[in-house]
Amino acid sequence: MSFNFVNYFRGNGAMQECGCPSSRVAMKALKQLDQFSVLNSQHMFEVLAAMNYRSVILLNECSAMVTSNIHGCPLKILINILQSCRDLRYHNMDLFKGIADYVATTFDIWKLKQVLFLLILFENLGFRPVGLMDLFMKKAADEPGFLNVKSLVSILNVYSSLNHLDTCQAHEFLDVMTNALTGSLHHISSENLLNAVCSFCLMNRFPLAPVNQLLQKDIINELLTSGDVERNVHKLHILATCLKLDDAPYHKDIHLALPKPPLTPLQPNAKAGEALSSLLGEGYFSKSVQLPHNYYIDFEIRMDTNRSQVLPFSDADVVTSATDIQRVAVLCVPKSTYCLGSTHPRGFLAMKMRHLKVMGFHVILVNNWEVEKLEMKDAATFLKTKIYSTEALSTADVNLQSTC
């Protein structure tokens, strides 16, 4: 196949103008797959994105070709591929890992701003390239001169969003980021300051000077009256919640007068609710629970402190000491709350779990897609293993209060 064939597709990107259905063009490409060159495969992502046509078969074949011939691929092509995957909502772990591993292996030939651009695209796709992020973290800490306001805000967003903090060098990295942000306070915009501080909040970090500047009345008023006000209010609520619940003692008495966030009615996973009813019986759990700080949980269960017995809500309500009860928060979560292809929580889920624990909850994550594929009896058994402690499950006479 000649490169002119891909150029033909590009020329027909505006499908409405040429009157040629996207599916017909994609089918023509599929028939020519055995003639595709590496360059054809690389450019086909951009072509499909231009047509807004998500042919998974074609994308899979091109991904395999790109991955197996990744070495020497130019940065512009890598960027175009990842941008196209984002636009087409196409996720291919082998492709993303192949690109990330290639850049990590050849890390020294890349400029930090080039790697950052790729990391931003990976974050857009929800993919956490662990090795590459570790390398970038170390390099950025070693070369802080690379950090300007734009790159700093982007780096903080990537690392907080993907919750990439469980490494030995995270502390040094965050110190460098804190110093860079503090050094930029004289010229940073209010919105960039909010974005940076909010990212720090997600990572349970509260740099004193940036937070103090953000909390100034004129800064808060500007954020509440200009720019994307709804987005600003949302982030300010995150800041206020973190200052109240996290380990930021010097800000505990801060009160931000913010508009109330919009109430978003929670629709708990119906199958999980039915399985809980089968397992525990009515009156032993509560659903769609609204908590302080605008947090919702799908289900709340109250148990003894050993998590060996579920307590009816009527009994739990009359217990005088909170130390006699273990509150359990059941969160039914979609795949998007994890980093792609893993069960590593993304930033907002990690923060919510952290805050629920501060509020006294034991947190249980239930993956929606896992529950949905189970028969009801199996779903109840699955939830039982999540709810009861390992010790309780291994005890033969534990009161499971189950009808299944």
Side-chain angles (χ1 to χ4, degrees):
M1 174 182 172
S2 69
F3 185 65
N4 287 337
F5 190 63
V6 172
N7 283 340
Y8 164 77
F9 284 159
R10 283 175 166 166
N12 286 279
M15 304 312 297
Q16 291 180 345
E17 293 182 13
C18 70
C20 182
S22 302
S23 57
R24 191 183 306 168
V25 176
M27 187 63 66
K28 186 174 181 65
L30 284 170
K31 291 178 179 178
Q32 300 286 341
L33 267 176
D34 60 337
Q35 301 177 46
F36 265 41
S37 67
V38 174
L39 198 57
N40 295 149
S41 296
Q42 292 171 346
H43 284 279
M44 188 52 63
F45 289 87
E46 188 179 359
V47 170
L48 290 172
M51 296 191 298
N52 193 28
Y53 187 74
R54 186 174 178 269
S55 171
V56 175
I57 297 176
L58 188 53
L59 287 166
N60 286 346
E61 293 294 333
C62 290
S63 294
M65 175 72 81
V66 168
T67 304
S68 60
N69 296 275
I70 193 70
H71 289 279
C73 187
L75 174 70
K76 182 179 179 181
I77 297 297
L78 296 177
I79 289 173
N80 285 340
I81 288 172
L82 293 177
Q83 286 176 328
S84 299
C85 289
R86 177 197 61 195
D87 296 344
L88 292 169
R89 298 177 300 281
Y90 172 71
H91 299 97
N92 185 309
M93 283 292 295
D94 291 336
L95 173 65
F96 299 163
K97 188 176 185 302
I99 293 174
D101 289 349
Y102 165 60
V103 177
T105 302
T106 57
F107 191 80
D108 290 338
I109 72 171
W110 305 92
K111 295 179 180 178
L112 280 179
K113 65 179 181 180
Q114 294 175 320
V115 180
L116 176 57
F117 203 96
L118 293 172
L119 289 179
I120 291 170
L121 290 170
F122 280 133
E123 187 277 331
N124 292 165
L125 292 159
F127 176 66
R128 177 176 171 249
V130 176
L132 184 59
M133 293 184 75
D134 285 346
L135 284 172
F136 183 89
M137 186 184 290
K138 184 177 186 306
K139 192 72 169 178
D142 291 341
E143 300 181 14
F146 144 76
L147 298 168
N148 56 35
V149 169
K150 183 177 180 181
S151 63
L152 180 62
V153 172
S154 296
I155 292 168
L156 289 171
N157 177 67
V158 168
Y159 279 79
S160 62
S161 173
L162 296 176
N163 187 28
H164 188 78
L165 300 167
D166 51 354
T167 65
C168 59
Q169 56 197 3
H171 185 77
E172 180 185 358
F173 170 74
L174 289 176
D175 281 345
V176 171
M177 296 297 112
T178 297
N179 292 336
L181 179 59
T182 302
S184 303
L185 291 180
H186 63 286
H187 65 268
I188 193 171
S189 70
S190 298
E191 192 164 301
N192 276 333
L193 178 61
L194 174 62
N195 291 336
V197 169
C198 188
S199 293
F200 271 118
C201 288
L202 284 178
M203 297 184 285
N204 199 13
R205 182 92 171 197
F206 304 94
L208 181 58
V211 172
N212 282 341
Q213 179 162 316
L214 179 59
L215 291 174
Q216 292 177 10
K217 286 185 178 180
D218 58 332
I219 300 291
I220 297 295
N221 288 337
E222 180 184 346
L223 291 167
L224 294 178
T225 56
S226 62
D228 189 339
V229 174
E230 184 177 347
R231 182 172 175 271
N232 292 344
V233 168
H234 172 68
K235 293 201 168 190
L236 286 169
H237 274 289
I238 291 174
L239 170 64
T241 297
C242 289
L243 293 180
K244 291 291 184 184
L245 295 179
D246 286 321
D247 188 19
Y250 47 85
H251 289 305
K252 290 296 183 187
D253 57 345
I254 294 295
H255 175 71
L256 296 178
L258 301 174
K260 289 186 177 181
L263 294 177
T264 51
L266 185 68
Q267 299 296 330
N269 184 291
K271 193 165 189 178
E274 190 175 346
L276 281 175
S277 294
S278 171
L279 176 66
L280 305 176
E282 295 299 329
Y284 285 87
F285 67 96
S286 181
K287 64 181 180 180
S288 301
V289 180
Q290 182 175 2
L291 299 171
H293 308 291
N294 203 41
Y295 277 128
Y296 289 83
I297 56 177
D298 295 84
F299 305 100
E300 179 184 350
I301 302 170
R302 297 183 184 181
M303 307 184 73
D304 67 314
T305 53
N306 295 322
R307 287 180 37 236
S308 62
Q309 184 176 7
V310 174
L311 305 174
F313 266 66
S314 57
D315 289 354
D317 290 338
V318 300
V319 176
T320 56
S321 174
T323 59
D324 296 330
I325 298 177
Q326 175 61 67
R327 299 178 74 183
V328 177
V330 179
L331 306 181
C332 299
V333 296
K335 287 184 178 181
S336 59
T337 59
Y338 297 111
C339 294
L340 186 68
S342 74
T343 55
H344 182 80
R346 295 194 66 172
F348 283 105
L349 177 59
M351 179 184 69
K352 182 175 183 177
M353 293 169 64
R354 183 175 80 234
H355 288 167
L356 288 174
K357 290 175 183 176
V358 171
M359 287 190 271
F361 284 93
H362 172 75
V363 181
I364 293 173
L365 297 181
V366 175
N367 298 332
N368 285 335
W369 68 96
E370 290 181 350
V371 172
E372 290 300 334
K373 67 184 181 183
L374 297 175
E375 297 293 333
M376 187 55 63
K377 183 177 180 180
D378 295 330
T381 301
F382 171 76
L383 290 175
K384 181 174 72 176
T385 62
K386 292 271 190 179
I387 294 168
Y388 292 96
S389 66
T390 304
E391 294 79 7
L393 288 172
S394 64
T395 304
D397 60 348
V398 65
N399 177 18
L400 295 180
Q401 297 169 308
S402 173
T403 59
C404 62

